[in-house]
Amino acid sequence: MPRLEIDINKIKHNVTTLKELFAKKGISVTAVIKGVTGSPEIANAILECGISTIAVSLVQNIKRMKESGVKAKFLLTRLPMHTEVADVVKYADISLNSEISTIKLLSEHSLKQGKRHKVVLMLELGDLREGILPGDTDSIIEQIILLKGVELYGIGTNLACFGGVNPSEENMIELSQTAERIQEKYNIKLHMISGGNSANYEWFLHTNNIRNINNLRIGEAILLGRETLHRNKIPKLYTDAFTLICEVIESKLKPSLPYGEICQNAFGDTPEFADIGNINRIIIGIGEQDVDTKAVTPRINAKVIGASSDHLILHSKKHLEVGSEIAFDINYSALLRLSTSPYVKKVFV
Ligand SMILES: *Cc1c(COP(=O)(O)O)cnc(C)c1O
């Protein structure tokens, strides 16, 4: 305890459903499993569903999957650091990029390792995380195509991750037209034209012309069954493939209002609480160290009223026994931290 229960069949159902849905308009799915630190068990389950490319953000996670015998094409979602290019070339087949200095280093290290690393060039279309500015496209492509160690495998964009920008008809047309222009001007074939992530779900449903966009990099929709613009459940998908189970370590009827002189709490905040009389205050044995406590919802009639590094406090409708187990639904930031924590046991059910 605590433990993260993983229902691998629900994940497989989600992957298969999404793969078939996107295939209807000719879009392949790259499964992004950085939210579960590239779990080899989950990677293998996804590969069994007919997906061929697995993506994570850390090259260490690709290394771990390879060492566990996972056979896939691996894509690195985070722009490589200069200090890790040798490993990126060694472990990843494809990486997303936006800096020519990094791409040059990837080429150098590929030549040293006798490889040709695949580069997907990311375009900035308004979300203001990674991507080259549209006006720089030609000068960067002209430099990339001279490099012997890398192949310009495709172009892509990433929206709704930082700025919350909607993947719209307009910005998808811009991506698509840029791809077309590059292919014609430089007489090259771009194999991957990658329109985005789980936030592209609504665009996909409503657009009647995906043009040449042929790939999406899907994480949260596979793992948690939701699109990410409004966090709506995607029809037919499971949102409960993951369950957090924790233990009650204190259960008492106590006041709702702290008493004594109020100063700062563990995180430097001065908390305020409403006085609603005595309540069932339940302490759970998990805290900010292992989970984003704002991103968990108990499956019983109780609500989270706060947390410190290692304690989570619930207000429960009814009394709960010390030692009993409580199940929680989790969202993406909770999943990420739970997966990363060595103090949370992962159990496949
Ligand atoms: C995380 C990430 C994704 C996957 O996003 P989801 O919202 O989980 O589908 C896709 N592309 C890039 C570049 C990412 O960093």
Side-chain angles (χ1 to χ4, degrees):
M1 287 285 190
R3 66 177 188 270
L4 181 65
E5 290 188 349
I6 305 165
D7 186 332
I8 212 105
N9 286 325
K10 288 185 175 171
I11 297 172
K12 287 174 83 169
H13 168 89
N14 286 359
V15 177
T16 306
T17 309
L18 289 167
K19 180 186 153 234
E20 287 170 2
L21 173 76
F22 289 124
K24 285 185 188 156
K25 295 186 187 172
I27 287 192
S28 71
V29 170
T30 294
V32 182
I33 57 167
K34 64 192 184 199
V36 289
T37 63
S39 151
E41 292 88 346
I42 294 176
N44 280 329
I46 289 172
L47 292 168
E48 280 173 29
C49 301
I51 299 280
S52 55
T53 308
I54 298 284
V56 286
S57 53
L58 304 182
V59 73
Q60 293 94 324
N61 289 165
I62 301 181
K63 180 168 185 269
R64 175 163 74 115
M65 284 188 276
K66 285 199 152 171
E67 286 171 355
S68 308
V70 177
K71 298 256 179 312
K73 253 201 214 170
F74 291 104
L75 181 147
L76 187 69
T77 58
R78 188 171 68 186
L79 310 174
M81 301 181 204
H82 279 195
T83 49
E84 66 179 2
V85 283
D87 279 344
V88 171
V89 167
K90 183 168 176 197
Y91 297 109
D93 301 284
I94 310 169
S95 60
L96 307 183
N97 285 275
S98 68
E99 289 289 351
I100 190 65
S101 63
T102 309
I103 298 169
K104 284 180 176 166
L105 282 174
L106 287 168
S107 177
E108 254 174 53
H109 283 270
S110 288
L111 291 174
K112 271 191 214 157
Q113 295 180 30
K115 290 187 169 176
R116 192 145 182 256
H117 183 76
K118 295 181 170 66
V119 163
V120 172
L121 190 63
M122 297 300 277
L123 300 192
E124 177 59 70
L125 293 178
D127 201 54
L128 300 181
R129 206 180 69 180
E130 72 275 43
I132 62 165
L133 291 161
D136 296 333
T137 313
D138 286 274
S139 78
I140 290 177
I141 291 199
E142 281 156 25
Q143 294 178 74
I144 295 176
I145 52 186
L146 294 177
L147 298 170
K148 297 270 183 295
V150 294
E151 173 192 356
L152 181 61
Y153 188 66
I155 66 169
T157 195
N158 195 52
L159 297 167
C161 248
F162 183 74
V165 171
N166 182 15
S168 63
E169 204 57 29
E170 291 71 39
N171 48 41
M172 288 300 107
I173 289 174
E174 187 174 346
L175 176 69
S176 171
Q177 287 177 342
T178 306
E180 210 169 288
R181 200 178 59 74
I182 293 169
Q183 299 193 107
E184 278 172 22
K185 180 165 179 190
Y186 299 101
N187 192 26
I188 51 176
K189 165 92 186 131
L190 296 173
H191 297 279
M192 181 182 268
I193 300 167
S194 190
N197 52 48
S198 299
N200 284 59
Y201 174 75
E202 286 180 10
W203 161 77
F204 174 84
L205 283 192
H206 297 124
T207 186
N208 42 34
N209 189 356
I210 57 151
R211 294 171 183 80
N212 52 15
I213 294 171
N214 64 7
N215 174 267
L216 290 173
R217 310 171 306 274
I218 304 289
E220 188 163 340
I222 291 174
L223 299 171
L224 295 174
R226 293 181 189 276
E227 56 80 35
T228 53
L229 280 183
H230 311 288
R231 291 280 166 343
N232 290 327
K233 178 185 181 304
I234 295 177
K236 301 198 205 110
L237 298 194
Y238 291 109
T239 56
D240 61 350
F242 297 87
T243 305
L244 170 64
I245 311 277
C246 302
E247 192 173 322
V248 174
I249 56 173
E250 184 187 296
S251 173
K252 294 186 195 304
L253 201 62
K254 283 190 183 180
S256 43
L257 197 62
Y259 45 91
E261 189 195 345
I262 307 294
C263 299
Q264 289 185 358
N265 69 10
F267 298 117
D269 302 319
T270 307
E272 282 178 35
F273 297 97
D275 187 0
I276 52 168
N278 279 353
I279 56 173
N280 283 310
R281 290 180 83 95
I282 314 294
I283 306 182
I284 306 289
I286 195 165
E288 286 296 323
Q289 180 168 13
D290 299 318
V291 70
D292 178 354
T293 60
K294 292 189 176 61
V296 300
T297 313
R299 287 190 186 156
I300 55 164
N301 193 349
K303 77 178 210 300
V304 175
I305 54 180
S308 59
S309 309
D310 34 35
H311 295 68
L312 176 71
I313 323 274
L314 296 184
H315 169 193
S316 168
K317 267 274 171 265
K318 59 178 226 263
H319 172 78
L320 298 171
E321 291 300 327
V322 172
S324 60
E325 294 187 349
I326 311 265
F328 292 84
D329 281 317
I330 58 174
N331 77 15
Y332 195 81
S333 58
L335 176 63
L336 181 64
R337 212 181 294 171
L338 289 165
S339 296
T340 307
S341 173
Y343 307 113
V344 176
K345 193 167 180 214
K346 284 47 169 201
V347 183
F348 290 90
V349 294

PDB file of all heavy atoms in Angstrom, residues 32 34 77 96 129-130 158 197-198 217-220 228, ligand 1:
ATOM      1  N   VAL A  32       1.312   6.939 -26.969  1.00  0.00           N
ATOM      2  CA  VAL A  32       2.207   7.671 -26.066  1.00  0.00           C
ATOM      3  C   VAL A  32       1.978   7.173 -24.637  1.00  0.00           C
ATOM      4  O   VAL A  32       0.907   7.362 -24.066  1.00  0.00           O
ATOM      5  CB  VAL A  32       1.923   9.188 -26.136  1.00  0.00           C
ATOM      6  CG1 VAL A  32       2.899   9.953 -25.238  1.00  0.00           C
ATOM      7  CG2 VAL A  32       2.025   9.696 -27.569  1.00  0.00           C
ATOM      8  N   LYS A  34       4.115   7.833 -21.926  1.00  0.00           N
ATOM      9  CA  LYS A  34       4.961   8.520 -20.940  1.00  0.00           C
ATOM     10  C   LYS A  34       4.241   8.656 -19.603  1.00  0.00           C
ATOM     11  O   LYS A  34       4.876   8.755 -18.561  1.00  0.00           O
ATOM     12  CB  LYS A  34       5.386   9.892 -21.467  1.00  0.00           C
ATOM     13  CG  LYS A  34       4.229  10.839 -21.678  1.00  0.00           C
ATOM     14  CD  LYS A  34       4.645  12.072 -22.467  1.00  0.00           C
ATOM     15  CE  LYS A  34       3.457  13.014 -22.556  1.00  0.00           C
ATOM     16  NZ  LYS A  34       3.567  13.998 -23.605  1.00  0.00           N
ATOM     17  N   THR A  77       9.118  11.833 -27.498  1.00  0.00           N
ATOM     18  CA  THR A  77       8.247  13.003 -27.672  1.00  0.00           C
ATOM     19  C   THR A  77       8.933  14.301 -27.259  1.00  0.00           C
ATOM     20  O   THR A  77       8.647  15.348 -27.818  1.00  0.00           O
ATOM     21  CB  THR A  77       6.946  12.892 -26.842  1.00  0.00           C
ATOM     22  OG1 THR A  77       7.278  12.748 -25.468  1.00  0.00           O
ATOM     23  CG2 THR A  77       6.090  11.745 -27.311  1.00  0.00           C
ATOM     24  N   LEU A  96      11.117  13.885 -32.054  1.00  0.00           N
ATOM     25  CA  LEU A  96      10.517  15.157 -32.449  1.00  0.00           C
ATOM     26  C   LEU A  96      11.549  16.242 -32.189  1.00  0.00           C
ATOM     27  O   LEU A  96      12.216  16.227 -31.152  1.00  0.00           O
ATOM     28  CB  LEU A  96       9.247  15.426 -31.623  1.00  0.00           C
ATOM     29  CG  LEU A  96       8.186  14.320 -31.607  1.00  0.00           C
ATOM     30  CD1 LEU A  96       6.949  14.770 -30.815  1.00  0.00           C
ATOM     31  CD2 LEU A  96       7.781  13.890 -33.007  1.00  0.00           C
ATOM     32  N   ARG A 129       4.592  25.858 -27.140  1.00  0.00           N
ATOM     33  CA  ARG A 129       5.567  24.989 -26.505  1.00  0.00           C
ATOM     34  C   ARG A 129       6.607  24.761 -27.595  1.00  0.00           C
ATOM     35  O   ARG A 129       7.156  25.751 -28.086  1.00  0.00           O
ATOM     36  CB  ARG A 129       4.917  23.705 -25.967  1.00  0.00           C
ATOM     37  CG  ARG A 129       5.741  23.125 -24.789  1.00  0.00           C
ATOM     38  CD  ARG A 129       5.169  21.851 -24.202  1.00  0.00           C
ATOM     39  NE  ARG A 129       5.282  20.720 -25.120  1.00  0.00           N
ATOM     40  CZ  ARG A 129       4.858  19.488 -24.840  1.00  0.00           C
ATOM     41  NH1 ARG A 129       4.290  19.241 -23.670  1.00  0.00           N
ATOM     42  NH2 ARG A 129       4.991  18.503 -25.711  1.00  0.00           N
ATOM     43  N   GLU A 130       6.857  23.516 -28.056  1.00  0.00           N
ATOM     44  CA  GLU A 130       7.932  23.332 -29.026  1.00  0.00           C
ATOM     45  C   GLU A 130       7.470  23.578 -30.464  1.00  0.00           C
ATOM     46  O   GLU A 130       6.319  23.365 -30.800  1.00  0.00           O
ATOM     47  CB  GLU A 130       8.539  21.925 -28.899  1.00  0.00           C
ATOM     48  CG  GLU A 130       7.660  20.784 -29.413  1.00  0.00           C
ATOM     49  CD  GLU A 130       6.661  20.286 -28.383  1.00  0.00           C
ATOM     50  OE1 GLU A 130       6.039  21.118 -27.697  1.00  0.00           O
ATOM     51  OE2 GLU A 130       6.480  19.064 -28.294  1.00  0.00           O
ATOM     52  N   ASN A 158       2.079  20.240 -32.080  1.00  0.00           N
ATOM     53  CA  ASN A 158       1.562  19.840 -30.784  1.00  0.00           C
ATOM     54  C   ASN A 158       0.783  21.011 -30.202  1.00  0.00           C
ATOM     55  O   ASN A 158       1.341  22.059 -29.930  1.00  0.00           O
ATOM     56  CB  ASN A 158       2.732  19.468 -29.865  1.00  0.00           C
ATOM     57  CG  ASN A 158       2.266  18.719 -28.646  1.00  0.00           C
ATOM     58  OD1 ASN A 158       1.554  17.721 -28.758  1.00  0.00           O
ATOM     59  ND2 ASN A 158       2.630  19.196 -27.481  1.00  0.00           N
ATOM     60  N   ASN A 197      -2.325  15.358 -30.622  1.00  0.00           N
ATOM     61  CA  ASN A 197      -2.465  14.415 -29.510  1.00  0.00           C
ATOM     62  C   ASN A 197      -3.947  14.149 -29.204  1.00  0.00           C
ATOM     63  O   ASN A 197      -4.804  14.375 -30.063  1.00  0.00           O
ATOM     64  CB  ASN A 197      -1.726  14.992 -28.304  1.00  0.00           C
ATOM     65  CG  ASN A 197      -2.163  16.422 -28.026  1.00  0.00           C
ATOM     66  OD1 ASN A 197      -3.352  16.727 -27.977  1.00  0.00           O
ATOM     67  ND2 ASN A 197      -1.205  17.320 -27.899  1.00  0.00           N
ATOM     68  N   SER A 198      -4.245  13.738 -27.981  1.00  0.00           N
ATOM     69  CA  SER A 198      -5.637  13.405 -27.617  1.00  0.00           C
ATOM     70  C   SER A 198      -6.580  14.598 -27.769  1.00  0.00           C
ATOM     71  O   SER A 198      -7.797  14.421 -27.839  1.00  0.00           O
ATOM     72  CB  SER A 198      -5.712  12.913 -26.163  1.00  0.00           C
ATOM     73  OG  SER A 198      -4.953  11.749 -25.998  1.00  0.00           O
ATOM     74  N   ARG A 217      -0.513  11.324 -32.147  1.00  0.00           N
ATOM     75  CA  ARG A 217       0.238  10.744 -31.025  1.00  0.00           C
ATOM     76  C   ARG A 217      -0.691  10.765 -29.809  1.00  0.00           C
ATOM     77  O   ARG A 217      -0.945  11.814 -29.238  1.00  0.00           O
ATOM     78  CB  ARG A 217       1.506  11.567 -30.768  1.00  0.00           C
ATOM     79  CG  ARG A 217       2.334  11.816 -32.043  1.00  0.00           C
ATOM     80  CD  ARG A 217       3.465  12.806 -31.806  1.00  0.00           C
ATOM     81  NE  ARG A 217       3.029  14.052 -31.231  1.00  0.00           N
ATOM     82  CZ  ARG A 217       2.581  15.103 -31.913  1.00  0.00           C
ATOM     83  NH1 ARG A 217       2.518  15.079 -33.233  1.00  0.00           N
ATOM     84  NH2 ARG A 217       2.195  16.203 -31.288  1.00  0.00           N
ATOM     85  N   ILE A 218      -1.201   9.597 -29.453  1.00  0.00           N
ATOM     86  CA  ILE A 218      -2.295   9.544 -28.487  1.00  0.00           C
ATOM     87  C   ILE A 218      -1.849   8.906 -27.173  1.00  0.00           C
ATOM     88  O   ILE A 218      -1.399   7.756 -27.138  1.00  0.00           O
ATOM     89  CB  ILE A 218      -3.483   8.732 -29.062  1.00  0.00           C
ATOM     90  CG1 ILE A 218      -3.948   9.317 -30.392  1.00  0.00           C
ATOM     91  CG2 ILE A 218      -4.629   8.660 -28.051  1.00  0.00           C
ATOM     92  CD1 ILE A 218      -4.649  10.651 -30.295  1.00  0.00           C
ATOM     93  N   GLY A 219      -1.988   9.660 -26.088  1.00  0.00           N
ATOM     94  CA  GLY A 219      -1.635   9.155 -24.762  1.00  0.00           C
ATOM     95  C   GLY A 219      -2.838   9.030 -23.859  1.00  0.00           C
ATOM     96  O   GLY A 219      -3.383   7.952 -23.617  1.00  0.00           O
ATOM     97  N   GLU A 220      -3.298  10.182 -23.361  1.00  0.00           N
ATOM     98  CA  GLU A 220      -4.366  10.197 -22.354  1.00  0.00           C
ATOM     99  C   GLU A 220      -5.639   9.475 -22.798  1.00  0.00           C
ATOM    100  O   GLU A 220      -6.287   8.791 -21.994  1.00  0.00           O
ATOM    101  CB  GLU A 220      -4.668  11.658 -21.966  1.00  0.00           C
ATOM    102  CG  GLU A 220      -5.631  11.754 -20.799  1.00  0.00           C
ATOM    103  CD  GLU A 220      -5.644  13.122 -20.123  1.00  0.00           C
ATOM    104  OE1 GLU A 220      -4.673  13.904 -20.285  1.00  0.00           O
ATOM    105  OE2 GLU A 220      -6.622  13.408 -19.419  1.00  0.00           O
ATOM    106  N   THR A 228      -8.834  15.726 -24.471  1.00  0.00           N
ATOM    107  CA  THR A 228      -8.175  16.583 -23.499  1.00  0.00           C
ATOM    108  C   THR A 228      -8.469  18.076 -23.669  1.00  0.00           C
ATOM    109  O   THR A 228      -7.840  18.904 -23.024  1.00  0.00           O
ATOM    110  CB  THR A 228      -6.651  16.348 -23.541  1.00  0.00           C
ATOM    111  OG1 THR A 228      -6.215  16.501 -24.888  1.00  0.00           O
ATOM    112  CG2 THR A 228      -6.297  14.957 -23.056  1.00  0.00           C
TER     113      THR A 228
HETATM  114  C1  LIG B   1       2.516  14.033 -24.309  1.00  0.00           C
HETATM  115  C2  LIG B   1       2.582  14.267 -25.747  1.00  0.00           C
HETATM  116  C3  LIG B   1       1.633  13.664 -26.591  1.00  0.00           C
HETATM  117  C4  LIG B   1       0.463  12.851 -26.076  1.00  0.00           C
HETATM  118  O1  LIG B   1      -0.490  13.712 -25.496  1.00  0.00           O
HETATM  119  P1  LIG B   1      -1.855  13.174 -24.897  1.00  0.00           P
HETATM  120  O2  LIG B   1      -2.599  14.398 -24.523  1.00  0.00           O
HETATM  121  O3  LIG B   1      -1.513  12.322 -23.728  1.00  0.00           O
HETATM  122  O4  LIG B   1      -2.530  12.400 -25.982  1.00  0.00           O
HETATM  123  C5  LIG B   1       1.786  13.864 -27.957  1.00  0.00           C
HETATM  124  N1  LIG B   1       2.787  14.615 -28.446  1.00  0.00           N
HETATM  125  C6  LIG B   1       3.711  15.199 -27.677  1.00  0.00           C
HETATM  126  C7  LIG B   1       4.789  16.016 -28.289  1.00  0.00           C
HETATM  127  C8  LIG B   1       3.635  15.054 -26.299  1.00  0.00           C
HETATM  128  O5  LIG B   1       4.547  15.655 -25.519  1.00  0.00           O
END
